[in-house]
Amino acid sequence: MTAHYQVHGDIAVITLDNPPVNGLGLSTRQGIAQGMEQALADAAVAAIVITGAGKAFSGGADIREFGSPKAMQEPNLNSVIQVLEQSSKPVVAAIHSVAMGGGLELALGCHYRVAAPGASIALPEVKLGLLPGAGGTQRLPRALGVEPALNMIVSGEAIKSEMLAMLPGQQLFQKISASPESLAEEALAFARSVAATRPLPLVRNLPCKHPLGDAYFQFARNMVGGMSKNYPAPLKCVDAVEAATKGKFEAGMAKEREIFINLMWTSESRALRHLFLGERAASKIPDVPADTPLRDIKSVAIIGAGTMGGGIAMNFLNAGVPVKMLEMKQEALDRGLATIRGNYEAQVKKGKLKQAKYDERMALLSTTLSYDDLSGTDMVIEAVFEEIGVKEAVFKELDRVMKPGAILASNTSTLDLNKIASFTKRPQDVVGLHFFSPANVMKLLEVVRGEKTAIDVMATVMAVSKKIRKTAVVSGVCDGFIGNRMIEQYGRQGGFLLDEGCTPEQVDKAMEKFGMAMGPFRMGDLAGNDIGWAIRKRRATERANMKYSKTADLLCEKGRFGQKTGAGWYDYKPGKRDAIPNAEVVKMIEDYRAAQGITPRKISDEEIVQRLVFALVNEAAHILEEGIANKASDIDICYIFGYGFPPYRGGPMLYADEVGLFNVVQAMHRFAQNPRDDAEFWKPAPLLAKLAAEGKTFN
Ligand code: NAI
């Protein structure tokens, strides 16, 4: 049982105890129901307090029960709340730390609520494409007022208990304890003080109106609708709260249930739930036990203070970890330092960072020109030029100076990590940490596991990535790792589409309509078209049979590298990021087509999207099969957090599952017939073909 029952004098205390956040799983719900039964049967008990052990009152639904029949098994949360409301003895919720989702709904079913200051209060279901399904949309507006309640339900954001307690007329909290420590004592005293009160107050009986009536809900819909395109849940939250103001409580509850069930079936909610679970699952590596002892990382060294080195340093400074940066020349250090300062100062100017915090962070940063200064640091991240000879020199130096047990990481984006590890006498301590640019902003971190990387090094860097607030995905060693290996196929399809009749703008628009943050050509301009150019030159010797459109090479020959040169697939005004279509580029593509004897054809947005997205999917299936990625959801997380894939589609793998793998394979067979395309590439990866044939999915 994950709830305990105790009696303190004439007060029964039911304590939820289901670590880590007292999720309301079946055994917790059963525990509450049994506790209530015991308390009601015991004549010596005058009132009941419900509270949570450890780090929360309750974080809501138990995510381990997501999608399992246990989540619905009786007593479900609504039934438990009914038991509380119908109790003949007063029930007091003693809330501390966290009351979210079902946890808050449970509290709203109690007769009274006493909260500790500093508790985070939220109904975050909207973030999973849902709404609160155990009366939250009906009871919170009654307890708190329509407007603040709607704000909380639509945003899903947490608000501190003491702030809510200050709202005029609120009935959410009858008391805020003097301190978190005194909550238990004060809740018991409160329960005693109301032990004889009858009738018992119920939130469901409170009035629920907004003075502006219908107009208010019209305003709310205009606001919410404008901000939530592609996400159906927020507007549905408005409907549910409106229902709370319109009719009987029971009718509102029925409306909430109906909306909840409909939202549960939307692809957006499936996608958001998939991401929620996928992000948590990404940190778990099959052969790395959760209790693996971690290495202590108290300080970090960074080699190279360029674009990446500076951004990486900021991540650690922000997390309060001292950083020592090394360069070969003082000028390079000065430049790197100035960029970091500039970034922070811009944040200070915008009011996003306090001057004192900025000073604190800069005080953690030191620089050096000598490797011998690094001997005391626990971890080093190399971010020097992408040349194997340079990496070799650096790792030999690191091997010489770093203390035993220090973690040696490389930010390489294309080089063979196993080879880099072999430059040292301690390949077990070497790992890849592939940050994305700008490294202080992008959430994704690919953790590259070498052949010999030790298990405790993997466990440690996963913990470090959490500390610096990155979403880490583990990749095996291969050219491009997970993300860039897939994007190469995506870019290749983009090129073929130009050859056949599209303009860059048409392709980008189609992909942006699909939901990508940026189409492939705008993305190329942002990253620098010269990067792909270098890769294609390398491919010409490494994989001569890989077919590419020549248009991107022609573009680079004109020096149109993208935003950094003010011109790429599009033109850019100085200091601006708006992509302006360029007639010369379109003509360049047309001339190329003519020279190849290609008659352009009209290509639908649907074909554009399918070819680009299924190119990601087929390559990803190879990546899964080769064991480069541990699971399909890791690939989805990688694409959502690193490549601007729309969260409401859940990532390329979930998208393929939703389309149906049979249909995906059929489309690939069709694309293979296209002489301008790459028939070899469109052979479905064996894993994909197998899953499709068996009617299965990736996830
Ligand atoms: P960058 O050219 O901006 O910076 C490299 C820095 O390393 C320069 O400041 C240079 O002075 C310094 N450096 C070169 N050799 C050195 C040595 N032997 N000892 C100490 N410092 C040395 O390059 P960037 O873009 O920061 O890339 C660095 C690494 O990060 C590369 O491996 C690259 O592939 C990888 N990377 C780059 C991304 C990007 O978008 N720019 C994304 C992900 C990874």
Side-chain angles (χ1 to χ4, degrees), residues 305-316:
T307 311
M308 294 307 288
I312 296 169
M314 287 176 74
N315 287 310
F316 287 94

Side-chain angles (χ1 to χ4, degrees), residues 252-272:
M253 287 297 283
K255 178 86 182 167
E256 178 190 272
R257 177 105 306 250
E258 178 200 321
I259 297 176
F260 182 86
I261 289 167
N262 284 332
L263 284 174
M264 199 78 182
W265 286 100
T266 59
S267 58
E268 291 83 359
S269 175
R270 271 199 298 278
L272 294 174

Side-chain angles (χ1 to χ4, degrees), residues 69-86:
K70 265 190 171 179
M72 300 310 288
Q73 208 172 311
E74 291 285 4
N76 65 32
L77 186 53
N78 271 313
S79 315
V80 173
I81 291 173
Q82 245 179 44
V83 171
L84 305 180
E85 282 192 330
Q86 289 167 1

Side-chain angles (χ1 to χ4, degrees), residues 303-310 312 326-329 332-333 335 371 382-387 390-391 393-394 410-415 433-438 484 527 531:
I303 316 297
T307 311
M308 294 307 288
I312 296 169
L326 179 144
E327 272 276 356
M328 288 181 306
K329 294 211 177 90
L333 273 181
R335 225 180 308 125
Y371 277 92
E382 164 277 311
V384 302
F385 300 140
E386 187 75 340
E387 282 165 36
V390 183
K391 305 276 189 202
V394 168
S410 171
N411 182 46
T412 182
S413 44
T414 54
L415 300 172
L433 289 181
H434 184 219
F435 289 84
F436 288 72
S437 181
N484 285 341
I531 295 179

Side-chain angles (χ1 to χ4, degrees), residues 77-353:
L77 186 53
N78 271 313
S79 315
V80 173
I81 291 173
Q82 245 179 44
V83 171
L84 305 180
E85 282 192 330
Q86 289 167 1
S87 160
S88 55
K89 301 176 184 178
V91 185
V92 179
I95 296 168
H96 64 87
S97 316
V98 169
M100 290 195 183
L104 180 55
E105 291 178 299
L106 181 80
L108 283 164
C110 298
H111 302 109
Y112 304 96
R113 286 151 297 279
V114 178
S120 293
I121 311 295
L123 289 175
E125 288 81 355
V126 72
K127 295 187 173 179
L128 299 180
L130 299 169
L131 49 60
T137 67
Q138 304 304 301
R139 289 191 184 90
L140 192 63
R142 287 177 161 84
L144 200 58
V146 171
E147 209 162 320
L150 181 64
N151 184 298
M152 284 180 71
I153 293 167
V154 164
S155 71
E157 294 296 326
I159 313 238
K160 293 288 175 211
S161 46
E162 65 272 21
M163 218 182 256
L164 293 171
M166 287 187 315
L167 291 177
Q170 66 85 21
Q171 299 281 325
L172 180 57
F173 300 125
Q174 280 66 46
K175 187 177 172 61
I176 297 283
S177 67
S179 70
E181 293 70 33
S182 66
L183 174 72
E185 232 5 83
E186 291 189 49
L188 282 180
F190 184 90
R192 276 189 195 108
S193 74
V194 294
T197 304
R198 296 294 181 282
L200 288 164
L202 290 177
V203 171
R204 63 192 292 157
N205 295 336
L206 293 170
C208 189
K209 278 269 169 298
H210 192 282
L212 298 181
D214 289 349
Y216 169 70
F217 287 99
Q218 188 58 53
F219 295 145
R221 282 198 180 87
N222 293 346
M223 279 279 274
V224 171
M227 291 187 312
S228 63
K229 10 174 226 160
N230 302 317
Y231 295 90
L235 272 177
K236 291 291 173 193
C237 293
V238 181
D239 292 352
V241 172
E242 186 178 33
T245 68
K246 285 267 148 98
K248 293 235 166 68
F249 178 79
E250 290 306 339
M253 287 297 283
K255 178 86 182 167
E256 178 190 272
R257 177 105 306 250
E258 178 200 321
I259 297 176
F260 182 86
I261 289 167
N262 284 332
L263 284 174
M264 199 78 182
W265 286 100
T266 59
S267 58
E268 291 83 359
S269 175
R270 271 199 298 278
L272 294 174
R273 280 177 281 146
H274 169 68
L275 289 183
F276 180 84
L277 295 176
E279 207 182 340
R280 277 152 188 78
S283 62
K284 299 190 175 70
I285 313 169
D287 62 335
V288 178
D291 58 357
T292 306
L294 303 182
R295 297 190 189 182
D296 206 12
I297 307 294
K298 289 218 174 68
S299 59
V300 171
I302 292 173
I303 316 297
T307 311
M308 294 307 288
I312 296 169
M314 287 176 74
N315 287 310
F316 287 94
L317 300 175
N318 297 349
V321 180
V323 172
K324 192 165 282 194
M325 283 209 301
L326 179 144
E327 272 276 356
M328 288 181 306
K329 294 211 177 90
Q330 188 61 42
E331 299 91 88
L333 273 181
D334 294 344
R335 225 180 308 125
L337 216 56
T339 311
I340 295 179
R341 280 224 171 81
N343 283 336
Y344 279 137
E345 274 160 16
Q347 288 179 23
V348 172
K349 233 183 227 162
K350 284 188 204 149
K352 286 187 181 159
L353 181 69

Side-chain angles (χ1 to χ4, degrees), residues 430-462:
V430 178
V431 68
L433 289 181
H434 184 219
F435 289 84
F436 288 72
S437 181
N440 52 318
V441 177
M442 295 293 288
K443 283 279 287 174
L444 180 65
L445 176 62
E446 274 181 326
V447 171
V448 185
R449 180 177 188 169
E451 243 163 44
K452 298 195 173 140
T453 308
I455 281 187
D456 66 334
V457 169
M458 288 306 292
T460 304
V461 294
M462 294 310 276

